[in-house]
Amino acid sequence: MTTDAGTSSATISTRQVPRALTIAGSDCGGGAGIQADLKTFTLQNVFGTSVLTALTAQNTLGVQGIFPVSSAFILQQLNSVFDDIGADAVKTGMLHNAEVIETVAKVLRARKVVKLVVDPVMVSTSGGRLLDEAALSSLTTHLLPLAELITPNVPEAEVLCGTKITSLDDVKKACQKLHSLGSRNVLIKGGHLPFDEAGRPASLGNIDDDARQGPLHTIDTLYIGSSGEFIELRNQYIHTKNTHGTGCTTAAAITSGLAKGETLVKSVADAINFVHTALSVSVQSHFMIGSGHGPLPLLPPHIPSFVQLLKQSCADDWHKYTYHPFVQQIADGTLDVESFKYYIRQDYLFLRHYARANALAAYREHELEDIVEGARIVGYIGDEVSLHIKYCESWGISLEDLNNTPEASPNIAYTRYVLDKGASGDRLDIRVALAPCLLGYGEIGMRLKNDPNTKKEGNPYWPWIENYSKPEYQTAVQEGEILLEKLFREMVPAGNQKRIKQLVENFKQATILEERFWEMGLKKIR
């Protein structure tokens, strides 16, 4: 059978493929600009087109030269794309002078582009100036009134607003200011303004080179102009030099979501998660290109990290675990109180065995520093148990009640499985068996924390969500992922599929047991 165009019915119509256009400069180093945009579009399953506004000679160390493209040729490129291919959403990046900005704005207005994401690129990650200062007024006058969203970082927002930003309150005022300049919505990215555990802005002096300041977190602030609502998207701050092109990638991922018909809030949340994951992978896999501020690892998903491989190998089970009805009812506050109290009593028993398993993992180590690190993890779990006891007391459950709680069969099955892996396997076996608990709770905590549909006010389970999204726990997650990647590189010979299959099955079984742990709580299974 053929379509009316005479092609096979299996052929995908180009009108079914989301189309995104980037109007930006070229980065010959491949980390930012249209190169980063097109890689992002591809990874987001969107067909990407591009209009070049400038050619840059740059690498991870800086910008060595800029060759502007004439406004006449930019206009010709824009007409070529719109006349034939079209665009479901558009992103602008480096627009280096007023003439270029006005040319682009005129075309976008004439073409009635609604889904426009403006990334006000002014300075590269390495410090190179990319926007003519005289073009600022043109940007606010001609382009911002067309924008569905503007995505400045803190330094860019300071330039646009003409004010210093040193607190979350300053960020929110800047959002409102940018909205008043014309953009319908505003996202101020928080990577340049991380906060410590007490909510105070952290010193950025040598933050990328010194992770000893303690757990930090970032807050990306989305302002919805129509309602005046602020949505705070919080993530652990990741200490890495691989930040070249993060702004371009974020805006391109948002544009991809809009091109696919997703809401602005979902597009932004997914984009921030996409970039945060890429930053995490760059640390876990020791990804490094160049000797300066390296790019993100925007690589095809068929080259996953070990942690990604584990999750992908049991994707259905992982989804059932992290999106279990027990979890979703925690999010909306509808979970039966008795089910939750049953769960936290069993969780106390689980944590005791979890500490034993981690002590066994420390015993399995050979190097003194690894033994000490393993002991530190057990100490951290001990602190968590103490906090858990106090948390249970807030629900009317005493320590005596906890110690007299019979261990439920799903709890026994899970904890004994992990302990058996520690007794019969090697260091990697027990770490893989422990991983679904650490990684899953961290993923659930951050997802529920950042999901605008999660009920906060009046939700008795909100403190539980905050506990697993807090910087200390997210730091533990990152350290756990790094350890897994390290052990995998050290202990599994390249191409040893038999061993990889064993580890995958180990992780899958532990994930299934985690899912059954939720089911135990939901149905109060004994």
Side-chain angles (χ1 to χ4, degrees), residues 23-27 32-35 37 51-56 93-95:
I23 307 170
S26 168
D27 172 7
I34 63 159
Q35 283 84 350
D37 293 344
V51 169
L52 271 67
T53 59
L55 307 178
T56 68
M94 178 184 174
L95 306 175

Side-chain angles (χ1 to χ4, degrees), residues 7 30 98 123 145 156 188 193 198 202 221 242 264 275 301 330 357 372 384 390 400 413 416 437 439 488-489:
T7 58
V123 180
E156 290 165 345
I188 295 184
L193 187 64
T221 305
N242 292 344
L264 177 67
V275 172
I330 280 180
V372 171
E384 285 294 302
K390 292 181 180 178
E400 183 179 2
R416 300 325 185 264
C437 178
L439 305 183
F488 180 71
R489 289 193 304 272

Side-chain angles (χ1 to χ4, degrees), residues 53-309:
T53 59
L55 307 178
T56 68
Q58 66 173 298
N59 50 33
T60 65
L61 298 174
V63 178
Q64 292 79 44
I66 298 176
F67 184 83
V69 175
S70 70
S71 295
F73 191 65
I74 291 172
L75 175 61
Q76 190 173 5
Q77 293 178 78
L78 286 166
N79 288 334
S80 292
V81 172
F82 280 115
D83 286 346
D84 179 35
I85 301 168
D88 297 302
V90 178
K91 166 198 176 289
T92 63
M94 178 184 174
L95 306 175
H96 51 85
N97 62 40
E99 184 182 357
V100 168
I101 292 171
E102 291 169 22
T103 297
V104 170
K106 183 177 180 179
V107 172
L108 296 179
R109 187 180 297 107
R111 299 284 182 169
K112 295 181 172 56
V113 171
V114 175
K115 297 178 180 180
L116 172 64
V117 177
V118 174
D119 181 19
V121 178
M122 298 177 184
V123 180
S124 70
T125 302
S126 57
R129 188 81 186 190
L130 301 177
L131 180 67
D132 187 334
E133 289 187 25
L136 280 177
S137 61
S138 182
L139 181 74
T140 56
T141 302
H142 297 284
L143 200 59
L144 287 196
L146 304 177
E148 174 70 11
L149 181 71
I150 183 172
T151 63
N153 56 34
V154 168
E156 290 165 345
E158 288 178 331
V159 173
L160 288 166
C161 296
T163 184
K164 196 70 177 171
I165 298 175
T166 60
S167 68
L168 187 57
D169 283 342
D170 291 342
V171 170
K172 292 181 177 179
K173 290 175 183 176
C175 284
Q176 293 170 325
K177 172 68 173 178
L178 292 171
H179 172 62
S180 72
L181 293 176
S183 184
R184 292 187 289 280
N185 307 285
V186 179
L187 171 69
I188 295 184
K189 297 166 293 187
H192 290 78
L193 187 64
F195 295 88
D196 65 16
E197 298 172 61
R200 298 168 302 203
S203 169
L204 279 177
N206 295 311
I207 198 167
D208 288 330
D209 302 313
D210 187 0
R212 293 174 293 176
Q213 298 190 41
L216 301 176
H217 65 276
T218 60
I219 303 176
D220 298 296
T221 305
L222 175 63
Y223 179 68
I224 307 299
S226 60
S227 64
E229 177 187 6
F230 289 98
I231 297 175
E232 298 174 10
L233 300 165
R234 297 169 182 256
N235 279 292
Q236 176 198 6
Y237 182 91
I238 296 176
H239 298 266
T240 176
K241 291 173 66 178
N242 292 344
T243 56
H244 182 52
T246 48
C248 303
T249 303
T250 301
I254 295 169
T255 306
S256 298
L258 295 176
K260 290 186 282 190
E262 295 170 353
T263 66
L264 177 67
V265 172
K266 186 176 189 306
S267 297
V268 170
D270 287 350
I272 289 171
N273 182 62
F274 175 77
V275 172
H276 188 265
T277 299
L279 288 167
S280 298
V281 169
S282 77
V283 173
Q284 297 162 15
S285 61
H286 300 281
F287 180 84
M288 179 55 68
I289 299 293
S291 53
H293 288 280
L296 295 173
L298 300 177
L299 301 173
H302 63 267
I303 313 177
S305 68
F306 177 54
V307 171
Q308 288 175 316
L309 174 65

Side-chain angles (χ1 to χ4, degrees), residues 480-518:
E481 291 178 342
I482 291 171
L483 178 58
L484 282 169
E485 299 294 340
K486 173 177 175 287
L487 291 176
F488 180 71
R489 289 193 304 272
E490 291 176 356
M491 301 179 67
V492 181
N496 189 338
Q497 294 302 315
K498 180 179 179 181
R499 181 62 176 134
I500 292 173
K501 184 177 179 180
Q502 291 172 343
L503 294 168
V504 162
E505 286 300 317
N506 181 353
F507 185 85
K508 179 178 180 178
Q509 185 59 44
T511 299
I512 292 171
L513 291 168
E514 275 287 0
E515 178 198 347
R516 291 176 182 172
F517 202 90
W518 293 136

Side-chain angles (χ1 to χ4, degrees), residues 434-463:
L434 289 165
C437 178
L438 176 68
L439 305 183
Y441 274 61
E443 184 175 311
I444 290 166
M446 290 308 299
R447 178 173 65 81
L448 298 188
K449 175 93 171 183
N450 289 331
D451 188 344
N453 294 317
T454 296
K455 182 180 179 182
K456 299 179 182 179
E457 298 297 328
N459 184 349
Y461 311 119
W462 178 247

